[in-house]
Amino acid sequence: MSGAAAWAAVLDRLDDAAKLTGVDPDIHRMLRSPRRVLEVSVPVRMDDGRVEVFTGWRVHHDTTRGPAKGGIRFHPDVDALETTALAAGMTFKTAVANLPFGGAKGGVRCDPTVMSLGELERLTRRYTWEISPLLGPDKDVPAPDVNTDGRVMAWLMDTLSMVMGEDLPGSVTGKPLAIGGTLGHSGATSTGVLVTARAAFNALDLPFAGGRAIIQGFGKVGGPLAFLLSSAGMRVIAVSDVHGAIHNPGGLDAGELSEHASRTGSVVGFEPADPIAEHDMWALECELAVPAALAGAIDEDVARRLGAKVVVEAANGPTTLEADPVLDQRGIICVPDILANAGGVTASYFEWAQSRQGYAWDEETVAVRLRQRMDEAFTAVWSKAESLNVSLRRAAFGLAVERVADAIAARGLFP
Ligand code: GLU
């Protein structure tokens, strides 16, 4: 999916939400443009001595409800509009989860899979320095996203702290525990997907235990999710990654699969399971389908062939604009990304709060509060969908736009 298509989809969903909830047209117009877009060039000394120049972005979509919040991704498809679309997605996600944040996203257009650790560190540090005027615990708080992790966040936090001349643990989330990260951050997105999936099944009166699930993507979110769904009694019958997909109607052993994937680098070749084309995986009859990879995975064609009763969006933007009405017509319930994958940013909120307070919570406190927040967000969206008689996506966008609009109205327009 191109960045332009991703941004067009966000605008379409925003326009619909504004109409649905009747927000002030001036506020609606304000939300149609990002607050600021910074494009930077990132020169990096490569291991062979040559200098390669990458392009990076950091976008703040809206910061009315609090500091800008959102991940940083390293991927060849990153561009200004994709980053803007994802930043707007964060504005709406933090509003649905009722967190005191605005929406941001950043990224560098690069292929980290062909870069050495040293090259990645130099890229991260130079990119951080270039976007540093925007960053800080009260301004903009990055986190991991596609192809970035705790190690990248540690480099980012170190670079910013060195530049500013003070220790700034609250300037980034998803940090390693050794420098003020929180317990429970790494699996938080997957836990949130589990909580919202279970809540959706309950609300729909569908049994969760014994249900069949398919997962597209076996990375930071899809991997732990296979384990969580199996532990909750679901049968995970197929999973895919960039290399291919595997299927076992009797259910895959999530623990053994994860061990196989970390040993071989892919789910492909796992036994007992048969290879299956990802195209055919979507059509498998099951109760739950979880897209946990990149944007645009469920297009109109996949939506027509989808064999699941419920879709829970672990990835950002996995369902295209054209696929939405097809899912609705087919009676397939879709729990949208800005609700379903908000567990990650909710754990980030907990980490930010702990870093600022200099007081670490225990694991149980993080787990209980995460479940509680995700349940509250689900209930708020579900009630909105019932009262407006619309899909969960339209309700989630409606709820988010209302909350952001309330904040904009309360603060008023400067100057
Ligand atoms: N990258 C995650 C997301 O898209 C987490 C963002 C954050 O914690 O700031 O929601």
Coordinates of all heavy atoms in Angstrom, one line a residue, residues 83-152:
T83 N 4.2 8.1 6.8 CA 4.5 8.5 8.2 C 3.4 9.4 8.7 O 3.0 9.3 9.9 CB 5.9 9.2 8.2 OG1 6.8 8.4 7.5 CG2 6.4 9.4 9.7
T84 N 2.9 10.3 7.8 CA 1.8 11.2 8.3 C 0.5 10.4 8.6 O -0.2 10.6 9.6 CB 1.5 12.2 7.1 OG1 2.7 12.9 6.8 CG2 0.4 13.2 7.6
A85 N 0.2 9.4 7.7 CA -1.0 8.6 8.0 C -0.8 7.8 9.3 O -1.8 7.8 10.1 CB -1.1 7.6 6.8
L86 N 0.4 7.3 9.6 CA 0.6 6.6 10.8 C 0.5 7.5 12.0 O 0.1 7.1 13.1 CB 1.9 5.8 10.7 CG 1.9 4.6 9.7 CD1 3.3 4.2 9.4 CD2 1.1 3.4 10.3
A87 N 1.0 8.7 11.8 CA 1.0 9.7 12.9 C -0.5 10.0 13.3 O -0.8 10.1 14.5 CB 1.7 11.0 12.6
A88 N -1.3 10.2 12.3 CA -2.7 10.5 12.5 C -3.4 9.3 13.2 O -4.2 9.4 14.1 CB -3.4 10.8 11.2
G89 N -3.0 8.1 12.8 CA -3.5 6.9 13.4 C -3.2 6.9 14.9 O -4.0 6.5 15.7
M90 N -2.0 7.4 15.3 CA -1.6 7.5 16.7 C -2.4 8.5 17.4 O -2.8 8.3 18.6 CB -0.1 7.8 16.8 CG 0.9 6.7 16.4 SD 0.6 5.1 17.2 CE 0.8 5.5 18.9
T91 N -2.8 9.6 16.8 CA -3.7 10.6 17.5 C -5.0 9.9 17.8 O -5.5 10.1 19.0 CB -4.0 11.8 16.5 OG1 -2.8 12.4 16.1 CG2 -5.0 12.8 17.1
F92 N -5.5 9.1 16.9 CA -6.8 8.5 17.1 C -6.7 7.3 18.1 O -7.6 7.1 18.9 CB -7.5 8.1 15.8 CG -7.6 9.3 14.9 CD1 -7.2 9.2 13.6 CD2 -8.2 10.5 15.4 CE1 -7.3 10.4 12.7 CE2 -8.3 11.6 14.5 CZ -7.9 11.5 13.2
K93 N -5.6 6.6 18.0 CA -5.3 5.4 18.9 C -5.2 5.9 20.3 O -5.8 5.3 21.2 CB -4.1 4.7 18.4 CG -3.9 3.3 19.1 CD -2.5 2.7 18.7 CE -2.3 2.5 17.3 NZ -1.1 1.8 17.0
T94 N -4.4 6.9 20.6 CA -4.2 7.4 22.0 C -5.5 8.0 22.5 O -5.8 7.9 23.7 CB -3.1 8.4 22.1 OG1 -3.3 9.5 21.1 CG2 -1.7 7.8 21.8
A95 N -6.4 8.5 21.6 CA -7.7 9.0 22.1 C -8.6 7.9 22.4 O -9.3 7.9 23.5 CB -8.3 9.9 21.0
V96 N -8.6 6.8 21.6 CA -9.5 5.7 21.9 C -9.1 5.0 23.2 O -9.9 4.6 24.0 CB -9.4 4.6 20.7 CG1 -10.0 3.3 21.2 CG2 -10.2 5.1 19.5
A97 N -7.7 4.9 23.4 CA -7.2 4.3 24.7 C -7.3 5.3 25.8 O -6.9 4.9 27.0 CB -5.8 3.8 24.4
N98 N -7.7 6.5 25.5 CA -7.8 7.6 26.5 C -6.5 7.9 27.3 O -6.5 8.0 28.5 CB -8.9 7.2 27.6 CG -9.7 8.5 28.0 OD1 -9.3 9.6 27.5 ND2 -10.7 8.3 28.8
L99 N -5.4 8.0 26.5 CA -4.1 8.3 27.1 C -3.8 9.8 26.8 O -4.2 10.3 25.8 CB -3.0 7.5 26.4 CG -3.3 5.9 26.3 CD1 -2.2 5.2 25.5 CD2 -3.4 5.4 27.7
P100 N -3.1 10.4 27.7 CA -2.8 11.9 27.6 C -1.7 12.2 26.6 O -0.7 12.8 26.9 CB -2.4 12.3 29.0 CG -1.7 11.0 29.6 CD -2.4 9.9 28.9
F101 N -1.9 11.7 25.4 CA -0.9 11.9 24.3 C -1.6 12.4 23.0 O -2.7 12.2 22.8 CB -0.2 10.6 24.0 CG 0.7 10.0 25.0 CD1 0.6 8.7 25.4 CD2 1.7 10.8 25.5 CE1 1.5 8.2 26.4 CE2 2.6 10.3 26.5 CZ 2.5 9.0 26.9
G102 N -0.7 13.0 22.2 CA -1.1 13.3 20.8 C -0.5 12.2 19.9 O -0.1 11.1 20.4
G103 N -0.5 12.4 18.6 CA -0.1 11.4 17.7 C 1.2 11.8 16.9 O 1.2 12.9 16.3
A104 N 2.1 10.9 16.8 CA 3.4 11.1 16.0 C 3.8 9.8 15.4 O 3.3 8.7 15.7 CB 4.5 11.6 16.9
K105 N 4.6 9.9 14.4 CA 5.3 8.7 13.8 C 6.6 9.2 13.2 O 6.7 10.3 12.8 CB 4.4 8.1 12.8 CG 4.7 6.6 12.6 CD 4.1 5.8 13.7 CE 4.3 4.3 13.5 NZ 3.4 3.6 14.4
G106 N 7.5 8.3 13.1 CA 8.8 8.6 12.5 C 9.3 7.4 11.7 O 8.8 6.3 11.9
G107 N 10.3 7.7 10.9 CA 10.8 6.5 10.1 C 12.0 7.0 9.3 O 12.2 8.1 9.0
V108 N 12.8 6.0 8.9 CA 13.9 6.2 8.0 C 13.7 5.2 6.8 O 13.4 4.0 7.1 CB 15.2 6.0 8.6 CG1 16.3 6.2 7.6 CG2 15.4 6.9 9.8
R109 N 13.8 5.7 5.6 CA 13.6 4.8 4.4 C 15.0 4.1 4.3 O 16.0 4.7 3.9 CB 13.3 5.7 3.2 CG 13.2 4.9 1.9 CD 13.1 5.9 0.7 NE 11.7 6.2 0.5 CZ 10.9 5.5 -0.3 NH1 11.3 4.5 -1.0 NH2 9.6 5.9 -0.4
C110 N 15.0 2.8 4.6 CA 16.2 2.0 4.6 C 15.9 0.6 4.7 O 14.7 0.2 5.0 CB 17.2 2.4 5.7 SG 16.5 1.9 7.3
D111 N 16.8 -0.3 4.3 CA 16.6 -1.7 4.5 C 17.5 -2.3 5.6 O 18.6 -2.6 5.4 CB 16.8 -2.5 3.2 CG 16.5 -4.0 3.3 OD1 16.1 -4.4 4.4 OD2 16.6 -4.7 2.3
P112 N 17.0 -2.3 6.9 CA 17.8 -2.7 8.0 C 18.3 -4.1 7.9 O 19.3 -4.5 8.6 CB 16.9 -2.5 9.2 CG 15.6 -2.5 8.7 CD 15.6 -2.0 7.3
T113 N 17.6 -5.0 7.0 CA 18.0 -6.4 7.0 C 19.4 -6.6 6.3 O 20.0 -7.6 6.4 CB 17.0 -7.2 6.2 OG1 16.8 -6.7 4.9 CG2 15.6 -7.2 6.9
V114 N 19.8 -5.5 5.5 CA 21.1 -5.7 4.9 C 22.2 -4.8 5.5 O 23.2 -4.5 5.0 CB 21.0 -5.4 3.4 CG1 20.1 -6.4 2.7 CG2 20.5 -4.0 3.1
M115 N 21.9 -4.2 6.7 CA 22.8 -3.3 7.4 C 23.4 -4.0 8.6 O 22.8 -4.8 9.3 CB 22.1 -2.0 7.8 CG 21.6 -1.2 6.6 SD 20.6 0.2 7.1 CE 21.8 1.3 7.9
S116 N 24.7 -3.7 8.9 CA 25.3 -4.2 10.1 C 24.8 -3.5 11.3 O 24.2 -2.4 11.2 CB 26.9 -4.1 10.0 OG 27.2 -2.7 10.1
L117 N 25.2 -4.1 12.5 CA 24.7 -3.4 13.8 C 25.4 -2.0 13.9 O 24.7 -1.1 14.3 CB 25.2 -4.3 14.9 CG 24.4 -4.2 16.2 CD1 23.0 -4.6 16.0 CD2 25.0 -5.2 17.2
G118 N 26.6 -1.9 13.5 CA 27.3 -0.6 13.6 C 26.6 0.4 12.7 O 26.4 1.6 13.0
E119 N 26.3 0.0 11.5 CA 25.6 0.9 10.5 C 24.2 1.3 11.1 O 23.9 2.5 11.0 CB 25.4 0.2 9.2 CG 26.7 0.1 8.4 CD 26.6 -0.9 7.2 OE1 25.7 -1.6 7.1 OE2 27.5 -0.8 6.3
L120 N 23.5 0.4 11.7 CA 22.2 0.7 12.3 C 22.4 1.7 13.5 O 21.6 2.6 13.6 CB 21.5 -0.6 12.8 CG 20.8 -1.4 11.8 CD1 20.2 -2.6 12.4 CD2 19.6 -0.5 11.2
E121 N 23.4 1.5 14.2 CA 23.6 2.4 15.4 C 23.9 3.8 14.9 O 23.4 4.8 15.4 CB 24.7 1.9 16.3 CG 25.0 2.9 17.5 CD 25.9 2.4 18.6 OE1 26.3 1.2 18.5 OE2 26.2 3.2 19.5
R122 N 24.8 3.9 13.9 CA 25.2 5.2 13.4 C 23.9 5.9 12.7 O 23.7 7.1 12.9 CB 26.3 5.1 12.4 CG 27.6 4.7 13.1 CD 28.9 4.8 12.2 NE 28.9 3.9 11.1 CZ 29.3 2.6 11.2 NH1 29.7 2.1 12.4 NH2 29.4 1.8 10.1
L123 N 23.1 5.1 12.0 CA 21.9 5.6 11.4 C 21.0 6.2 12.5 O 20.4 7.3 12.4 CB 21.2 4.5 10.6 CG 19.8 4.8 10.0 CD1 20.0 5.4 8.6 CD2 18.9 3.6 10.0
T124 N 20.8 5.3 13.5 CA 19.8 5.7 14.6 C 20.3 7.0 15.3 O 19.5 8.0 15.5 CB 19.8 4.6 15.7 OG1 19.4 3.4 15.0 CG2 18.8 5.0 16.8
R125 N 21.6 7.1 15.6 CA 22.1 8.3 16.3 C 22.0 9.5 15.5 O 21.6 10.6 16.0 CB 23.6 8.0 16.8 CG 23.6 7.0 17.9 CD 25.0 6.9 18.5 NE 25.2 5.9 19.5 CZ 24.9 6.1 20.8 NH1 24.4 7.3 21.2 NH2 25.0 5.1 21.7
R126 N 22.4 9.4 14.2 CA 22.3 10.6 13.3 C 20.9 11.1 13.1 O 20.5 12.3 13.2 CB 23.1 10.4 12.0 CG 23.1 11.6 11.1 CD 23.8 12.7 11.7 NE 23.7 13.9 10.9 CZ 24.7 14.5 10.2 NH1 25.9 14.0 10.3 NH2 24.5 15.5 9.5
Y127 N 20.0 10.1 12.9 CA 18.6 10.4 12.7 C 18.0 11.1 14.0 O 17.3 12.1 13.9 CB 17.8 9.1 12.4 CG 16.3 9.2 12.5 CD1 15.6 10.0 11.5 CD2 15.6 8.6 13.5 CE1 14.2 10.1 11.6 CE2 14.2 8.7 13.6 CZ 13.5 9.4 12.7 OH 12.1 9.5 12.7
T128 N 18.4 10.5 15.1 CA 17.9 11.1 16.4 C 18.4 12.5 16.5 O 17.6 13.4 16.9 CB 18.4 10.3 17.6 OG1 18.0 8.9 17.4 CG2 17.9 10.8 18.9
W129 N 19.6 12.8 16.2 CA 20.2 14.1 16.3 C 19.4 15.1 15.4 O 19.1 16.2 15.8 CB 21.7 14.1 16.0 CG 22.3 15.5 16.3 CD1 22.7 15.9 17.5 CD2 22.5 16.5 15.4 NE1 23.1 17.2 17.4 CE2 23.0 17.6 16.1 CE3 22.3 16.6 14.0 CZ2 23.4 18.8 15.5 CZ3 22.6 17.8 13.4 CH2 23.2 18.9 14.1
E130 N 19.1 14.6 14.2 CA 18.5 15.4 13.2 C 17.0 15.8 13.6 O 16.6 16.9 13.3 CB 18.4 14.8 11.8 CG 19.8 14.6 11.1 CD 20.5 15.9 10.7 OE1 19.8 16.9 10.7 OE2 21.7 15.8 10.5
I131 N 16.4 14.9 14.3 CA 15.0 15.2 14.7 C 14.9 15.7 16.1 O 13.8 16.0 16.7 CB 14.0 14.0 14.5 CG1 14.4 12.8 15.4 CG2 13.9 13.6 13.0 CD1 13.3 11.7 15.5
S132 N 16.1 15.9 16.8 CA 16.1 16.2 18.2 C 15.4 17.5 18.6 O 14.8 17.6 19.7 CB 17.5 16.2 18.8 OG 18.3 17.2 18.1
P133 N 15.3 18.5 17.7 CA 14.5 19.7 18.1 C 13.0 19.4 18.5 O 12.4 20.1 19.2 CB 14.6 20.6 16.9 CG 15.8 20.1 16.1 CD 15.9 18.7 16.4
L134 N 12.5 18.3 17.9 CA 11.1 17.9 18.2 C 11.0 17.1 19.5 O 9.9 17.0 20.0 CB 10.5 17.1 17.0 CG 10.5 17.7 15.7 CD1 9.6 16.8 14.7 CD2 9.9 19.1 15.7
L135 N 12.1 16.4 19.9 CA 11.9 15.4 20.9 C 12.0 15.9 22.4 O 12.6 17.0 22.6 CB 13.0 14.3 20.7 CG 13.0 13.6 19.4 CD1 14.2 12.6 19.3 CD2 11.7 13.0 19.0
G136 N 11.6 15.1 23.3 CA 11.7 15.4 24.7 C 10.5 14.8 25.5 O 9.4 14.6 24.9
P137 N 10.6 14.5 26.8 CA 9.5 13.9 27.5 C 8.2 14.6 27.5 O 7.1 14.0 27.6 CB 10.1 13.8 29.0 CG 11.5 14.0 28.9 CD 11.8 14.8 27.6
D138 N 8.2 15.9 27.4 CA 7.0 16.7 27.3 C 6.6 17.1 25.9 O 5.7 17.9 25.7 CB 7.1 17.9 28.2 CG 7.2 17.6 29.7 OD1 6.4 16.7 30.1 OD2 8.1 18.1 30.4
K139 N 7.4 16.7 24.9 CA 7.2 17.2 23.6 C 6.8 16.0 22.6 O 5.8 16.1 21.9 CB 8.4 17.9 23.0 CG 8.7 19.2 23.7 CD 10.2 19.6 23.5 CE 10.5 20.1 22.2 NZ 11.9 20.5 22.0
D140 N 7.6 15.0 22.6 CA 7.5 13.9 21.6 C 8.2 12.7 22.1 O 9.4 12.8 22.4 CB 8.0 14.4 20.3 CG 8.1 13.3 19.2 OD1 7.8 12.1 19.6 OD2 8.4 13.6 18.1
V141 N 7.6 11.6 22.3 CA 8.1 10.4 22.9 C 8.1 9.2 22.0 O 7.0 8.6 21.9 CB 7.4 10.1 24.2 CG1 8.0 9.0 25.0 CG2 7.3 11.3 25.1
P142 N 9.2 8.9 21.3 CA 9.2 7.8 20.3 C 9.1 6.4 21.0 O 9.3 6.3 22.3 CB 10.5 7.9 19.6 CG 10.9 9.3 19.8 CD 10.4 9.7 21.2
A143 N 8.9 5.4 20.2 CA 8.8 4.0 20.7 C 9.2 3.1 19.5 O 9.3 3.6 18.4 CB 7.4 3.7 21.2
P144 N 9.3 1.8 19.8 CA 9.6 0.9 18.7 C 8.5 0.7 17.7 O 7.3 0.9 18.1 CB 9.9 -0.5 19.4 CG 10.1 -0.2 20.8 CD 9.4 1.1 21.1
D145 N 8.8 0.4 16.5 CA 7.8 0.1 15.5 C 8.4 -1.0 14.6 O 9.3 -1.7 15.0 CB 7.3 1.3 14.8 CG 5.9 1.1 14.1 OD1 4.9 1.1 14.7 OD2 5.9 1.0 12.8
V146 N 8.0 -1.0 13.3 CA 8.5 -2.0 12.4 C 10.0 -2.0 12.3 O 10.6 -0.9 12.0 CB 7.9 -1.9 11.0 CG1 8.5 -2.8 10.0 CG2 6.4 -2.0 11.1
N147 N 10.7 -3.1 12.6 CA 12.2 -3.2 12.5 C 13.0 -2.4 13.5 O 14.2 -2.1 13.3 CB 12.7 -2.9 11.0 CG 12.3 -3.9 10.0 OD1 12.1 -5.1 10.4 ND2 12.1 -3.5 8.8
T148 N 12.3 -1.9 14.5 CA 13.1 -1.2 15.6 C 12.7 -1.9 16.9 O 11.7 -2.5 17.0 CB 12.8 0.3 15.7 OG1 11.4 0.5 15.9 CG2 13.3 1.0 14.4
D149 N 13.6 -1.8 17.9 CA 13.4 -2.5 19.1 C 14.1 -1.8 20.3 O 14.5 -0.6 20.2 CB 14.0 -3.9 19.0 CG 15.5 -3.9 18.6 OD1 16.1 -2.8 18.7 OD2 16.1 -4.9 18.3
G150 N 14.1 -2.4 21.4 CA 14.7 -1.8 22.6 C 16.1 -1.3 22.5 O 16.5 -0.3 23.0
R151 N 16.9 -2.0 21.7 CA 18.3 -1.6 21.4 C 18.3 -0.3 20.7 O 19.1 0.6 21.1 CB 19.0 -2.7 20.6 CG 20.4 -2.5 20.4 CD 21.1 -3.7 19.8 NE 20.4 -4.2 18.7 CZ 20.6 -5.4 18.1 NH1 21.4 -6.2 18.7 NH2 19.9 -5.8 17.1
V152 N 17.5 -0.2 19.7 CA 17.4 1.1 18.9 C 16.9 2.2 19.9 O 17.4 3.4 19.8 CB 16.5 1.0 17.7 CG1 16.2 2.3 17.0 CG2 17.1 0.0 16.7

